Amino acid sequence: MADTHIICVSGTGIERRQSLGALITPALAEQARADTNAWIKSLRRVPYGGLTMRNRFRYRDDSLWWFTELYLQKMRQLDGAVLTVLALEHAQADDAPARLIIEGADATTAAAALAFGAAHGVPTDIRGGAGAPPRMFWSGAQVGVTAALSRARQITARALGAGRTQPAPSAIAAFVHTAFWRGATDPDGGQESYIGPVLDALARTAPDAVSLVGIGPRQNFTSRRWWDAMATDHDAPAIRPIESLAPWAALQGSMALWRTRHALADAIVAGEGIRDAAAFRGCDLWPVLSRELRGVAQVQWPWSARAMDEAGAALDALECHTAITYAEAGGWGRAVVLEARRRGVRSVGLQHGFIYRHWLNYLHEPDEMLANGDDAGFPAPDQTLLFDHYAEQHLRSAGAFPATRLAVTGSPRLDDLVARIARLTDADRQATREAVGVVEAGQHLVVLTAKFTEVQEMLPALIDAVRARPGICLAIKAHPAENADVYTPYIDGLANVALAPADADLARLLAAADALVTRNSTVAVDGLVLGLPALVIGLPNNLSPFVDAGVMLGAGDQTVGNALERLLYDRETRTRLKTAAREFVEQYGLRARGTAAEETAAIILTMGPH
C-alpha cells in the first residue's frame, strides 16, 4: 500500500496528499487483522435456502467451510479492503475531505475506497493503478490439470524403476511436505526440516512402523512452476509421493466437484444473506467479497476435495492406524484429519512453529467444534502435541480445543538449540563477537532478528539510535528467505552496524549476544529460555502479549534509543526482565526438556486405532 496515495481535497480545493501506507499504524494493522478474522468467521452462519454456509456446501459428509476460511485468510484481499476502510476513516477524521482521489490503488483498495466514499457521501475518484482483478480461470483449471500431470509423473517414475508398485502396510503414516525435505547431500542428512527429530525418534524405537507420505512438489511455493507436477523425484527415496498411493480412480469424486466449480461459484454468491454480509462498518465491500467467494469455489474447493481424495487413498493403501501431520491446521492437514476421522484412523498434529494469536487457522468458536447435522465438526486431531503450556492455553481459550486432545511434549528444535549453545566455549563466543564487528572491550552486542519487510519502517530509528551509541554493536541476522543486501543502504559506512554472514549460526550469535531486537521473530521467545533480554519494536505485533506480560521490553520509534540503553545498562530493568522471564518460562513450561522428540514419539506409538 506504500505506492498508493490518498489526496484529500477540501471544500475550497486545497489538496493534501499522503501515502496510504503512512496512515496504517501498527495499531491500525492490528485492528484490521482482528476485524477481518471476525468478518470471515461470521460468514459460516450466512443463510442459503434455510441452511448456513457451513451446512450448505459440503464434500461427502464434511463441510467445505473448513477450507473456505483458509482461502479467505490466505489471499489477504479481505484484509486489504478492511485496512483501506479503517485508514480512510482516519483520513476523514483528520481532514474532513469534500472529495477523495486515490492514486495507484490495486483492485481491492480501489473497490474499498469507492465503497467508503459511497457510504460517507464523499465523491471518490480512482486514478492509475486499479488493474483488473485477478482471474480465477487458470488457477481453477490448474487443479484438474495438475491432478492429471502428477499421475503422469508416477507412471514415468515406475517406468524408470523408482519406488515400489505396491506399498507395504504401515502402522503410522507421516504426511510431510516434500519441498521441506533435506536430501542426502545436505549437511544434516536426509531429514524432514520441521519434524525430523521426531521421525528419527520413531525410527529408533519402531524402525518399520512409519511410512513417509510426500505431499506437494519438490519445489516450494516461491519457485514452483506448473510443470513441476510432472517432475519425478529421485533424491528422496524414503518418501512415497502421495500420487503413487492415490491412482486416478481415487480422484473421481473431487474431479466431479472440479467440473462443477463454476456452478458452485454462482451458488456461493447467490445466498439470500450473503449480499448483506459484505457490509463492513457501513461500507459495501461486495465487489471484493464476491470475487473472493468465487475464488473459493473455483480454486480452493476443488483443490481441497482432491487433497481429501488423495489423503484417503493413501490411508487405505498403507492400512495404517495412525496419521501424523505437522500442518494440521492448514489445508493439507485438515484434509488428512477429515479422512482419518472418516476411517477411524487416529490422527496426530505436531506443533512446528509459534502459534500467533491472530492466526485464523487456530481460532475456532465453540460451535465449530460441535457436530452440526451430518457434519462432525472441525477436524481437530485426536491429539495435538505442543511445545509448551503457552500454546496449550491459547488453543483451549481461543481455539476451543478440548483439553483431552492436547498434550505438551516440548520443542525438539529448542532442545537442539540449547544443546548446541551449551557446547560452545568462551573462545567460541569471543570469536563470534569479533566476526560480527565487536572490536572494543566492553562493547555490547545486540542482534537484530527480523524479516526486512516487517522491520523496514522501524529500521531508520533503530539505526539512528545505534549510530549515536558507539558502545553498542548491532549485528543484523537477515531472514533466510530474504536477500541481506536490502539492509546495505541503511548501514553503509557505519562502524558499529554490520550484517552477520549469510551462513552465520544462530546458536553462536545468541550465545555471543547481550540482547536481541526484533518485531515478530520467535527467536525472542527462545531468548526467554536462554536468559537473553529482548527489545520489541513496531508495537503492537505478534509479540505484544510478551511485552504486556513484562518479559520483553517494548519501544516505539521515538523511544528505541532510550529502550536500548535501559535494556543494556539499567540494572533494575535487566533484573526485572530476567526475573519475569524466568517466572514466565516456569509457568508455561517453556524450558528445553532435552527429550521432546522422544516424548512426542512415545505418545504417537501408544496410539492405536479407534
Side-chain angles (χ1 to χ4, degrees):
M1 291 186 171
D3 295 331
T4 302
H5 288 83
I6 298 171
I7 301 173
C8 294
V9 185
S10 70
T12 59
I14 298 175
E15 297 184 354
R16 184 189 178 199
R17 179 188 178 91
Q18 56 190 319
S19 165
L20 178 58
L23 287 169
I24 300 173
T25 63
L28 197 68
E30 177 98 347
Q31 180 184 347
R33 177 71 269 175
D35 287 351
T36 305
N37 282 347
W39 183 20
I40 291 173
K41 282 292 186 182
S42 71
L43 298 177
R44 73 185 188 278
R45 298 194 180 100
V46 171
Y48 287 80
L51 298 173
T52 63
M53 181 186 287
R54 173 181 166 182
N55 290 116
R56 166 65 177 82
F57 299 102
R58 307 157 64 84
Y59 182 58
R60 291 196 281 269
D61 296 328
D62 292 300
S63 174
L64 287 168
W65 166 250
W66 315 123
F67 303 101
T68 302
E69 64 173 1
L70 292 180
Y71 181 92
L72 296 177
Q73 175 194 235
K74 176 177 62 179
M75 297 304 291
R76 291 299 177 94
Q77 296 303 299
L78 300 189
D79 291 78
V82 167
L83 200 51
T84 298
V85 169
L86 295 177
L88 289 176
E89 285 182 352
H90 279 252
Q92 184 182 48
D94 291 342
D95 298 314
R99 185 162 63 96
L100 285 169
I101 301 172
I102 313 296
E103 291 184 342
D106 60 23
T108 294
T109 301
L114 289 172
F116 177 87
H120 293 269
V122 180
T124 302
D125 299 328
I126 307 297
R127 297 180 182 175
R135 296 185 63 189
M136 299 299 171
F137 173 78
W138 172 240
S139 296
Q142 193 174 8
V143 175
V145 172
T146 56
L149 292 178
S150 60
R151 268 73 206 164
R153 172 178 68 186
Q154 295 312 308
I155 293 173
T156 302
R158 286 194 292 273
L160 294 173
R164 298 184 299 268
T165 56
Q166 294 295 327
S170 298
I172 301 169
F175 291 80
V176 299
H177 288 273
T178 51
F180 301 132
W181 185 270
R182 297 196 290 264
T185 58
D186 188 278
D188 293 323
Q191 187 185 72
E192 214 292 323
S193 300
Y194 285 123
I195 60 169
V198 175
L199 296 177
D200 288 345
L202 286 169
R204 287 193 297 270
T205 307
D208 299 321
V210 182
S211 284
L212 302 182
V213 181
I215 55 179
R218 291 288 293 163
Q219 290 74 17
N220 66 34
F221 71 93
T222 59
S223 58
R224 191 175 303 160
R225 300 152 301 181
W226 68 268
W227 60 82
D228 289 331
M230 293 185 66
T232 58
D233 299 323
H234 302 294
D235 59 343
I239 302 178
R240 293 195 63 90
I242 197 167
E243 295 88 352
S244 70
L245 302 171
W248 182 255
L251 271 59
Q252 296 312 298
S254 56
M255 290 300 99
L257 184 145
W258 174 73
R259 287 189 289 271
T260 65
R261 64 191 183 278
H262 298 300
L264 288 171
D266 291 338
I268 197 173
V269 298
E272 64 268 28
I274 193 63
R275 188 66 180 78
D276 292 338
F280 174 74
R281 297 175 76 92
C283 300
D284 182 8
L285 299 179
W286 180 243
V288 180
L289 179 60
S290 60
R291 185 183 74 219
E292 294 307 295
L293 290 175
R294 285 186 172 276
V296 165
Q298 294 177 14
V299 180
Q300 183 67 56
W301 288 349
W303 179 91
S304 300
R306 172 185 158 187
M308 290 169 68
D309 281 353
E310 290 181 330
L315 294 172
D316 290 340
L318 294 173
E319 302 176 16
C320 59
H321 62 62
T322 302
I324 304 172
T325 172
Y326 58 83
E328 79 287 348
W332 259 114
R334 293 184 181 193
V336 169
V337 175
L338 282 169
E339 293 306 312
R341 182 169 69 186
R342 193 185 318 282
R343 289 161 173 77
V345 172
R346 302 279 283 177
S347 57
V348 183
L350 303 182
Q351 182 180 354
H352 68 280
F354 187 73
I355 301 174
Y356 295 118
R357 55 188 172 141
H358 291 316
W359 196 0
L360 188 68
N361 298 44
Y362 288 99
L363 301 179
H364 311 293
E365 299 295 331
D367 69 275
E368 293 181 281
M369 288 291 180
L370 301 176
N372 191 328
D374 293 333
D375 170 27
F378 175 74
D382 293 301
Q383 283 287 289
T384 298
L385 307 184
L386 302 167
F387 293 166
D388 48 61
H389 294 290
Y390 189 83
E392 180 188 34
Q393 177 179 286
H394 177 73
L395 292 192
R396 291 184 63 181
S397 59
F401 276 70
T404 55
R405 293 195 173 198
L406 302 174
V408 175
T409 54
S411 167
R413 187 193 64 81
L414 180 61
D415 284 355
D416 178 66
L417 178 65
V418 170
R420 285 160 57 203
I421 290 177
R423 291 193 293 267
L424 297 174
T425 65
D426 289 341
D428 292 328
R429 294 182 178 87
Q430 183 59 32
T432 300
R433 290 171 68 86
E434 292 174 0
V436 296
V438 177
V439 296
E440 299 180 8
Q443 196 171 25
H444 288 80
L445 174 60
V446 176
V447 176
L448 171 65
T449 60
K451 288 184 179 179
F452 176 79
T453 51
E454 293 185 343
V455 80
Q456 181 179 6
E457 293 180 2
M458 287 71 68
L459 196 57
L462 175 62
I463 297 299
D464 286 345
V466 173
R467 179 191 289 112
R469 295 164 175 82
I472 298 174
C473 176
L474 179 69
I476 300 174
K477 179 71 168 71
H479 192 275
E482 296 179 327
N483 188 332
D485 292 343
V486 295
Y487 288 99
T488 301
Y490 295 86
I491 68 174
D492 194 30
L494 294 179
N496 62 334
V497 182
L499 281 171
D503 59 351
D505 180 62
L506 180 61
R508 289 179 174 269
L509 281 175
L510 296 181
D514 298 296
L516 291 171
V517 176
T518 188
R519 184 176 185 186
N520 280 318
S521 175
T522 57
V523 174
V525 181
D526 296 333
L528 295 177
V529 179
L530 301 172
L532 190 61
L535 173 64
V536 181
I537 57 179
L539 295 168
N541 56 41
N542 292 326
L543 295 177
S544 289
F546 297 94
V547 176
D548 295 341
V551 299
M552 297 179 189
L553 200 61
D557 288 354
Q558 304 304 315
T559 60
V560 64
N562 176 264
L564 272 176
E565 290 189 357
R566 291 171 56 205
L567 192 69
L568 294 170
Y569 305 114
D570 188 301
R571 181 175 299 178
E572 181 181 346
T573 297
R574 289 178 64 84
T575 300
R576 184 175 69 251
L577 283 173
K578 287 189 175 183
T579 300
R582 187 165 53 248
E583 294 174 352
F584 193 88
V585 166
E586 293 301 326
Q587 177 183 357
Y588 291 108
L590 293 170
R591 194 172 303 284
R593 295 170 175 242
T595 57
E598 289 72 19
E599 290 184 49
T600 302
I603 289 181
I604 294 171
L605 290 170
T606 61
M607 297 180 68
H610 281 288

